[in-house]
Amino acid sequence: MNWGVFEGLLSGVNKYSTAFGRIWLSVVFIFRLLVYLVAAEKVWSDDHKDFECNTRQPGCTNVCFDHFFPVSHIRLWALQLILVTCPSLLVIMHVAYREAREQRLRETKGDNYRCIYPNPGKKRGGLWWTYLLSLIFKAGVDVVFLYIFFRFYRNYTLPRVVKCELPPCPNVVDCFISQPTEKNIFTVFMVVTTCVCVVLNLIEATYLIGKRCHECQQARGGDSRRHSHDTSADPTGTGGQVFHGPDYRLHTAAIPLTASCPSTLSEDEAGS
């Protein structure tokens, strides 16, 4: 595994995420991915080999193991982690598309270029929808896998002994699962961290929608305030113009003759 590439992807996801998204990323990376790679994978490494039944009938152990473990925990968790982390990469790809489009326009139009995305990582327009849909998809994937685990392994626990009577077993045989207590602890831990991630995704989606609604209300309130200000400045709605009737006469007051206000104008002043 190329940890340099993985670190670059994580830094990109962290850069374009909200505070709740960064918490979600930390939970996924530390409590799910690292636990899966370091501990859980080793616990289930020899699961089939350590599954024993008290019979020597050929094929009985394989049939019973396939019946009680249709899909391995490890493979289900690996598929779940892949599907959960992919939507975050789509957000990075969307930002990269914006940056590439901006660069293309800058090269083609030159000095006449007008910036389309001043901040390509700002969650507006299509990127906002991409981010919101990625949150819904991640929460949906986790909920679906919780249901799958519950259907395959009742109450997310493994019994110590299972009884199998499937052919070619000669009769009811007892089969013993290796390290059931340790596997139950890891299973419950992964289920709890998955539930925490679902809650974080829902909180972040609610935060995004609430913030967007608040911004829309503020913009609408600003427009209404500007409209009311214009109306109060011109209550007649005539744009400051006053219309008089045909019988209206302009009344002028007589101005006393003083040295500063001459009664006659020179020819030059009268013609100006």
Side-chain angles (χ1 to χ4, degrees), residues 39-234:
E41 195 172 15
K42 295 181 180 179
V43 174
W44 272 270
S45 59
D46 296 329
D47 198 30
H48 189 197
K49 185 186 300 183
D50 296 334
F51 184 82
E52 298 180 354
C53 298
N54 57 356
T55 181
R56 294 184 178 275
Q57 179 68 27
C60 179
T61 301
N62 292 335
V63 170
C64 294
F65 181 83
D66 182 70
H67 176 72
F68 290 106
F69 298 95
V71 182
S72 173
H73 285 67
I74 292 300
R75 292 176 178 84
L76 273 179
W77 282 330
L79 181 61
Q80 181 181 3
L81 288 173
I82 291 173
L83 293 178
V84 162
T85 53
C86 280
S88 299
L89 302 181
L90 291 178
V91 176
I92 299 177
M93 292 173 62
H94 197 149
V95 176
Y97 164 76
R98 282 186 166 188
E99 294 175 346
R101 185 181 178 187
E102 196 82 15
Q103 182 66 25
R104 239 182 356 257
L105 290 175
R106 188 182 296 109
E107 292 175 354
T108 54
K109 295 189 177 181
D111 296 336
N112 298 326
Y113 162 73
R114 186 170 63 88
C115 185
I116 299 178
Y117 306 112
N119 185 4
K122 192 174 182 63
K123 288 178 279 295
R124 290 291 183 272
L127 184 60
W128 186 87
W129 284 104
T130 301
Y131 197 91
L132 180 64
L133 292 177
S134 70
L135 295 176
I136 297 174
F137 181 80
K138 289 186 289 188
V141 167
D142 280 336
V143 170
V144 168
F145 273 88
L146 285 175
Y147 176 76
I148 292 174
F149 273 105
F150 181 79
R151 292 288 297 176
F152 284 166
Y153 311 105
R154 187 66 60 179
N155 297 326
Y156 305 108
T157 57
L158 299 175
R160 298 178 182 275
V161 181
V162 293
K163 296 185 178 296
C164 180
E165 53 183 350
L166 298 174
C169 298
N171 48 30
V172 179
V173 298
D174 296 330
C175 297
F176 304 92
I177 300 174
S178 173
Q179 301 173 314
T181 302
E182 187 176 13
K183 291 178 180 177
N184 286 334
I185 292 173
F186 276 104
T187 302
V188 172
F189 179 82
M190 297 296 279
V191 168
V192 171
T193 53
T194 301
C195 293
V196 171
C197 289
V198 171
V199 172
L200 288 174
N201 285 325
L202 295 179
I203 292 175
E204 188 175 9
T206 305
Y207 167 76
L208 283 178
I209 296 174
K211 183 179 179 181
R212 187 62 176 168
C213 293
H214 180 67
E215 290 175 352
C216 292
Q217 288 180 354
Q218 281 187 334
R220 193 178 298 116
D223 294 340
S224 63
R225 283 194 297 270
R226 284 193 297 270
H227 178 71
S228 62
H229 176 71
D230 296 339
T231 305
S232 62
D234 182 19

